[in-house]
Amino acid sequence: MERRDFIKTSILGTGILMNPNILYANTSKKFSLNFSYKINFDSAKQIKLYIPLPISTDFQQPYNLNINGNYKHHSTEYQNGVPFIYTQYDQDSKLKYISINLNILLNKMNTKNPQKNPKQYLENTRYIRTDGMIKKLALNLKTNDNQKTANKIYEWIINHIDEKNAKNTKGIRSIQTKSLGILFSGENISATSLFVSLCRACNIPATEAFGIDLYNPQNTFSSKAEIYLASTGWVPYDIITPILDQSFNGIGTWKEDFILMNYARDFCIQNTFLASFDTAFGLVDGDRLDYYENKNFSSKFVYEQIS
């Protein structure tokens, strides 16, 4: 049975209300986004799909969420600061699908962002490392000023990481430099992951920000970074874009038209740890959807600028 659900508010009723400052800011842009998914499993007894949604911040406001699909059950969830849609499909020969439409207002990112506690962004994690080669390199880049250190790390990465190693890549891999060889390995890592690791190794709170580059022709999922400075708050850094486009300076800014999904690393769903939660995650009778061939699952993302 096809179902439609329409929520004419800020995303998911998370308690983050629409900020009037962004509504009337001269620099705001307004986009219409559509995320659609199709699942083709005739014999599966139960399919569960978890779909991340853009978060609400003081520089980004999603609203007018419209959900359409033939799911048996769906709910809007909010876990550890991450909004997502949960859908469940029971055994049926029909093609399962869901289409999610929403609008989003984007403004220039500022350096306040009080929602994150800096202390938790100094820790070692599974894929953000501060030991081994990372620690050794960080000691060579560290100065007595955190802003200068972050800029020095930024410049080092721009000069030593090529495009192939810089980009976000799904799955487990290693990142290597032009001169030092392999620096570290992990899942869903990029030059942004390297920047964040080096900053944390220098005792600078830092985090990855996962999302979608609208300016990229492929609308690829990508990542940016933020570091925390006591004097200014959270400061944006764009690490990957300047490696691909040398005319762009990513210190203190993100290239515009970036949709922030979340900051989630090692996100836990159904007792499964996801390296990052920037795309849909599914379970087919308890097995991960990404274990199956692509012909069983397809996704599509389209957008339109409306003002």
Side-chain angles (χ1 to χ4, degrees):
M1 180 178 67
E2 182 176 292
R3 298 182 57 181
R4 296 175 184 270
D5 299 275
F6 183 70
I7 307 173
K8 194 176 181 181
T9 60
S10 186
I11 284 293
L12 306 186
T14 58
I16 304 174
L17 301 177
M18 181 70 76
N19 184 342
N21 292 329
I22 194 172
L23 273 172
Y24 302 107
N26 293 330
T27 57
S28 291
K29 292 183 180 181
K30 185 177 180 181
F31 294 91
S32 173
L33 312 180
N34 175 265
F35 303 86
S36 59
Y37 304 88
K38 295 180 180 179
I39 309 171
N40 186 18
F41 284 95
D42 293 341
S43 60
K45 294 181 180 179
Q46 188 178 77
I47 297 172
K48 297 178 180 180
L49 196 61
Y50 304 82
I51 305 168
L53 294 168
I55 65 173
S56 295
T57 71
D58 49 4
F59 55 86
Q60 168 179 291
Q61 287 288 344
Y63 66 102
N64 285 6
L65 176 65
N66 188 0
I67 307 169
N68 176 29
N70 59 354
Y71 41 79
K72 179 181 179 181
H73 166 79
H74 99 287
S75 60
T76 51
E77 307 286 341
Y78 192 71
Q79 177 181 318
N80 297 332
V82 177
F84 61 93
I85 293 172
Y86 164 69
T87 60
Q88 179 180 313
Y89 303 82
D90 288 345
Q91 188 169 9
D92 195 317
S93 60
K94 294 180 181 179
L95 180 72
K96 290 91 175 163
Y97 73 90
I98 183 172
S99 178
I100 301 166
N101 291 282
L102 59 94
N103 291 344
I104 193 164
L105 282 165
L106 298 182
N107 204 354
K108 184 176 177 62
M109 195 222 171
N110 60 47
T111 59
K112 300 299 181 184
N113 201 357
Q115 300 175 34
K116 303 192 298 296
N117 178 6
K119 292 182 179 179
Q120 74 181 88
Y121 296 99
L122 287 169
E123 299 173 358
N124 227 12
T125 71
R126 287 195 303 166
Y127 302 124
I128 301 298
R129 308 303 305 172
T130 60
D131 51 8
M133 286 290 293
I134 295 294
K135 182 177 181 180
K136 183 178 179 180
L137 177 58
L139 290 175
N140 291 329
L141 297 173
K142 185 175 175 60
T143 72
N144 58 5
D145 179 274
N146 283 351
Q147 176 79 74
K148 291 180 180 179
T149 298
N151 291 350
K152 195 172 179 181
I153 292 170
Y154 167 91
E155 295 291 350
W156 189 92
I157 292 175
I158 299 304
N159 292 324
H160 289 83
I161 302 294
D162 60 23
E163 291 188 17
K164 180 181 178 180
N165 283 275
K167 293 179 180 179
N168 282 83
T169 302
K170 291 293 182 181
I172 297 175
R173 66 154 178 160
S174 298
I175 288 183
Q176 60 183 20
T177 70
K178 299 173 183 178
S179 57
L180 296 180
I182 294 176
L183 272 181
F184 77 127
S185 301
E187 185 176 359
N188 300 0
I189 57 175
S190 67
T192 307
S193 314
L194 176 58
F195 175 80
V196 170
S197 295
L198 288 169
C199 284
R200 291 191 186 185
C202 292
N203 205 37
I204 302 171
T207 181
E208 293 167 284
F210 300 101
I212 309 171
D213 285 329
L214 296 185
Y215 55 81
N216 187 305
Q218 287 78 41
N219 306 138
T220 52
F221 285 87
S222 188
S223 63
K224 313 296 181 185
E226 295 179 28
I227 67 165
Y228 183 81
L229 300 174
S231 58
T232 56
W234 287 97
V235 180
Y237 275 74
D238 194 326
I239 310 302
I240 299 175
T241 303
I243 296 175
L244 308 179
D245 176 8
Q246 296 181 0
S247 66
F248 181 79
N249 185 346
I251 295 177
T253 189
W254 293 347
K255 189 167 183 177
E256 62 182 8
D257 301 346
F258 174 72
I259 304 294
L260 172 62
M261 299 301 286
N262 53 61
Y263 299 95
R265 262 290 181 193
D266 293 335
F267 193 78
C268 185
I269 291 181
Q270 291 282 292
N271 298 318
T272 300
F273 278 95
L274 307 180
S276 59
F277 188 35
D278 44 13
T279 57
F281 167 73
L283 293 171
V284 180
D285 292 337
D287 292 328
R288 292 181 62 152
L289 183 60
D290 52 10
Y291 293 163
Y292 294 88
E293 297 180 19
N294 291 337
K295 67 180 182 180
N296 298 116
F297 177 72
S298 63
S299 62
K300 185 178 181 180
F301 169 74
V302 294
Y303 77 94
E304 178 185 4
Q305 184 171 353
I306 51 182
S307 68

